[in-house]
Amino acid sequence: MTAAHVPGGAGWMRPLPGTGLTVSAVALGGGPLGSMPELFGVDVSPERGIDTVRAALHSDIRFIDTSNGYSGGESERRIGAALTAAGGVPADVVVATKVDPEGSDYSGERVRRSVEESRARLGMDHLPLVHLHDPEFHEFDDLTAPGGAVEALVELRESGAVGTIGLAGGRVQEIARYLALGVFDVLLVHNRWTLLDRSAGPLLEEAQARGMGILNAAVYGGGILAHQGPDGPTTYGYRPAPEPVLAAADAMRRVCAEHGTDIGTAALQFSLRDERFASTIVGMSRPERVAQTLAAAAAPLPDALFEELETLLPPSATWLDAPFES
């Protein structure tokens, strides 16, 4: 058996390279707690969202991740309400957010407004980590032009308005272009380093070589790796999953059951076992999910399970960002 990832134990709090920050191995992901039923399938009331953050603050989770654009700012507002009720950000808690465009406006001025909006919603005078969020959906030349979004974010760091800056995105070919600029402190990948997809491999190698902090999000692929039966979601990363991927997920569920666990626990620990990741970001929208996630993190799982799961990878382990080859 491998050592369990025990919340509060040795190795639970980890340095985030490139920042001087220390974060917990599991982070509360703020996407679903602001209520995004179109992505997550459920409505979340303000009270439930706030209670989820409060549950995290009373747990061994000491890292919270959100974004300006989640639910039109509602995620940040709910986190801010919970922080206010707690008397402010606890000294050992890191809250990270992301800048987002307003419509098609992803200008330098929009980045500065995004940061100010986040500060106001969160009730924080200083933001320790701010990511450039999903730049792959916009023109690279526009965002990297003089006075553009990237330059504005760098200037905010240099002026001390924000502590450190990160790059958070999906499609690896585009994110690689931003990573090559050499201006970011942290890389956040989502949906692209999981039991089913390894698209982020080259990005992780490059970020590690640069001494950057690395964060992993969406380790359940949007739900397919959290459900225990074949009647669960058939999408991965917000798009229909190819049949070989669905078949691989079903096979992985069976193997997990043979080892006395479930695919969600294995999916979480697959990320936690990877020493490159300072933290694994898990979206939560119910207070009870906090304790459930920490229990899954601590469950002892054998190395043999992960060795067997590795043999069940889909034929193309980088299928999410490339045409799938059967």
Side-chain angles (χ1 to χ4, degrees), residues 48-324:
R48 182 169 133 187
I50 293 169
D51 285 346
T52 302
V53 182
R54 295 176 72 176
L57 292 174
H58 287 92
S59 77
D60 286 307
I61 292 176
R62 313 320 288 154
F63 187 25
I64 299 173
D65 172 85
T66 185
S67 185
N68 179 286
Y70 288 163
S71 305
E74 188 61 19
S75 174
E76 289 183 330
R77 281 188 282 271
R78 295 177 184 186
I79 292 169
L83 292 173
T84 297
V89 184
D92 61 344
V93 170
V94 173
V95 179
T97 192
K98 310 175 187 76
V99 294
D100 277 298
E102 186 172 51
S104 61
D105 180 8
Y106 215 159
S107 62
E109 179 55 34
R110 170 56 201 158
V111 164
R112 288 184 281 271
R113 290 200 312 272
S114 182
V115 166
E116 288 307 309
E117 291 164 2
S118 295
R119 287 176 58 188
R121 293 170 187 150
L122 292 166
M124 296 171 60
D125 292 333
H126 183 260
L127 301 176
L129 173 59
V130 177
H131 299 281
L132 184 73
H133 194 199
D134 288 344
E136 66 265 36
F137 299 109
H138 302 266
E139 291 295 330
F140 177 83
D141 289 344
D142 292 342
L143 268 64
T144 59
V150 173
E151 184 175 283
L153 199 54
V154 171
E155 289 176 352
L156 286 167
R157 178 185 61 193
E158 292 177 347
S159 71
V162 304
T164 54
I165 61 175
L167 174 62
R171 189 168 176 80
V172 296
Q173 294 92 336
E174 288 298 312
I175 295 301
R177 301 176 72 189
Y178 289 91
L179 188 61
L181 297 173
V183 300
F184 296 99
D185 305 306
V186 175
L187 172 69
L188 186 161
V189 297
H190 64 77
N191 287 297
R192 287 161 174 83
W193 195 260
T194 74
L195 287 175
L196 287 173
D197 189 276
R198 309 295 165 81
S199 300
L203 290 179
L204 302 181
E205 292 176 9
E206 179 64 21
Q208 189 174 38
R210 292 176 178 272
M212 299 171 65
I214 308 176
L215 306 171
N216 195 21
V219 295
Y220 305 122
I224 191 172
L225 288 169
H227 287 262
Q228 309 318 315
D231 56 345
T234 57
T235 59
Y236 182 102
Y238 320 118
R239 67 190 69 176
E243 182 56 38
V245 173
L246 297 176
D250 286 342
M252 288 180 179
R253 291 188 188 97
R254 291 192 294 271
V255 167
C256 287
E258 291 168 2
H259 283 272
T261 189
D262 59 82
I263 196 169
T265 297
L268 175 62
Q269 289 205 21
F270 171 77
S271 181
L272 291 175
R273 292 162 64 95
D274 194 323
E275 295 182 353
R276 294 174 298 183
F277 300 126
S279 188
T280 297
I281 299 167
V282 180
M284 305 181 206
S285 61
R286 294 178 286 112
E288 57 268 30
R289 274 284 288 150
V290 173
Q292 291 167 356
T293 301
L294 294 179
L301 299 181
D303 292 338
L305 167 61
F306 293 95
E307 293 167 1
E308 191 167 354
L309 291 174
E310 201 69 14
T311 69
L312 300 175
L313 268 175
S316 171
T318 59
W319 61 273
L320 187 56
D321 286 326
F324 191 84

